[in-house]
């Protein structure tokens, strides 16, 4: 009897595929929100983008098939809405990353950690942007300046750091939500054993907090940015 009840509650293949699709769309939405809110570029989600791309191809084939087979217009409209929504999320996710690469390309390129967060296509794009910008600046501006001021990354040869390279503001405050109970979050610079500077987060509760304080937790996926 119990077996019959369990079999009756088992989802069909179509329901299972729909659940997987919905889950990936929700994961993409979370990745999009976090990327949009984070001041720095986050790690490119290869697996998620790959799955969503495959689902988009299947959805496009389904819409095309239904449009040529005389399917119910309402059903076809719903399929098209799902397709458009997922396409928007994916394109927006990739567009936000491209904008960050354009803004912080030199900063990203000089850091192995940040560089390895990019996809192969993004690395190719960043390399082309850097080469093109360097060539443009050298031809239009830098070549006309004294030799000590012809660096793309430094104001002059006496600069100890790359003071012409824009960097993301990691001390920006962000709205976030934890997926689990978290403790020992250090809000300010100082000794870890200073309990007055440690913070706790409850799951599902919204917090407005300095990005730098939760940066490792965002990267590990324990915290979503909103």
């Amino acid at each position: 009897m119990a077996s019959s009840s369990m079999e009756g509650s088992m989802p069909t293949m179509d329901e299972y595929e729909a659940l997987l699709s919905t889950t990936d769309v929700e994961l993409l939405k979370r990745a999009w929100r976090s990327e949009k809110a984070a001041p720095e570029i986050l790690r490119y989600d290869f697996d998620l983008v790959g799955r969503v791309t495959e689902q988009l191809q299947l959805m496009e084939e389904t819409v095309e098939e239904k449009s040529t087979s005389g399917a119910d217009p309402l059903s076809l409209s719903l399929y098209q809405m799902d397709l458009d929504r997922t396409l928007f999320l994916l394109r927006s996710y990739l567009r936000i990353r491209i904008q960050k690469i354009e803004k912080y390309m030199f900063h990203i390129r000089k850091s192995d950690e940040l560089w390895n967060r990019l996809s192969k296509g993004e690395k190719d794009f960043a390399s082309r942007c850097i080469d093109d910008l360097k060539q443009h600046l050298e031809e239009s501006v830098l070549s006309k300046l004294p030799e000590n001021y012809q660096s793309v990354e430094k104001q002059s040869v006496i600069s100890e750091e790359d003071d012409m390279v824009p960097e993301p503001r990691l001390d920006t405050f962000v709205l976030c939500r934890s997926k689990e109970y978290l403790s020992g979050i250090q809000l300010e610079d100082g000794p870890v054993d200073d309990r007055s500077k440690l913070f706790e987060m409850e799951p599902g509760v919204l917090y407005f907090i300095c990005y730098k304080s939760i940066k490792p937790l965002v990267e590990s996926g324990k915290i979503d940015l909103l």
Side-chain angles (χ1 to χ4, degrees):
M1 197 69 178
S3 175
S4 174
S5 175
M6 289 179 63
E7 290 176 359
S9 63
M10 290 291 287
T12 65
M13 182 57 68
D14 288 342
E15 290 172 337
Y16 182 70
E17 291 177 354
L19 178 61
L20 288 179
S21 176
T22 302
T23 300
D24 282 339
V25 170
E26 289 303 315
L27 289 174
L28 178 60
K29 188 184 297 183
R30 281 161 51 182
W32 168 72
R33 284 197 301 252
S34 290
E35 192 67 64
K36 188 176 182 180
E40 63 177 350
I41 195 163
L42 302 178
R43 185 170 297 278
Y44 182 84
D45 199 328
F46 292 91
D47 294 337
L48 177 59
V49 172
R51 293 197 308 271
V52 170
T53 301
E54 291 179 359
Q55 290 173 14
L56 283 170
Q57 293 174 348
L58 292 175
M59 292 167 71
E60 288 175 345
E61 293 172 1
T62 300
V63 169
E64 183 177 355
E65 179 182 342
K66 286 184 174 294
S67 62
T68 57
S69 62
D72 176 57
L74 178 59
S75 174
L76 180 60
S77 175
L78 292 175
Y79 273 101
Q80 186 65 54
M81 285 175 59
D82 285 340
L83 174 60
D84 293 342
R85 179 185 62 165
T86 308
L87 271 172
F88 168 80
L89 284 174
L90 181 58
R91 288 172 175 170
S92 183
Y93 171 73
L94 299 175
R95 188 180 302 115
I96 291 168
R97 293 180 60 83
I98 288 297
Q99 290 171 346
K100 288 183 179 180
I101 292 172
E102 290 176 333
K103 187 173 183 179
Y104 302 119
M105 64 181 88
F106 290 103
H107 174 67
I108 292 173
R109 187 63 189 92
K110 70 178 184 178
S111 167
D112 289 339
E113 177 193 353
L114 295 177
W115 185 250
N116 290 330
R117 293 181 183 182
L118 308 185
S119 68
K120 182 182 182 304
E122 290 173 338
K123 289 178 180 178
D124 293 340
F125 172 77
S127 296
R128 290 197 303 271
C129 284
I130 290 172
D131 292 340
D132 290 346
L133 183 57
K134 279 185 175 181
Q135 181 179 353
H136 171 71
L137 290 176
E138 288 169 357
E139 293 177 352
S140 61
V141 178
L142 298 178
S143 60
K144 300 176 175 60
L145 297 177
E147 185 176 352
N148 291 346
Y149 299 91
Q150 292 185 359
S151 172
V152 175
E153 301 172 359
K154 297 182 179 182
Q155 292 192 38
S156 70
V157 292
I158 63 174
S159 298
E160 297 181 357
E161 299 179 354
D162 296 337
D163 47 14
M164 294 290 287
V165 175
E167 298 183 7
R169 293 286 303 273
L170 301 185
D171 56 353
T172 300
F173 276 73
V174 294
L175 187 65
C176 64
R177 180 169 50 207
S178 173
K179 300 177 184 177
E180 59 189 75
Y181 172 76
L182 299 172
S183 61
I185 301 173
Q186 193 164 2
L187 295 182
E188 303 174 28
D189 294 335
V192 176
D193 58 356
D194 186 348
R195 306 307 299 177
S196 65
K197 296 182 179 180
L198 298 182
F199 185 69
E200 298 177 350
M201 295 182 69
E202 297 287 344
V205 178
L206 298 181
Y207 294 92
F208 193 59
I209 192 171
C210 178
Y211 174 79
K212 189 175 182 180
S213 300
I214 59 171
K215 171 179 159 68
L217 297 171
V218 173
E219 294 170 351
S220 65
K222 294 182 179 179
I223 290 180
D224 288 330
L225 301 183
L226 303 172

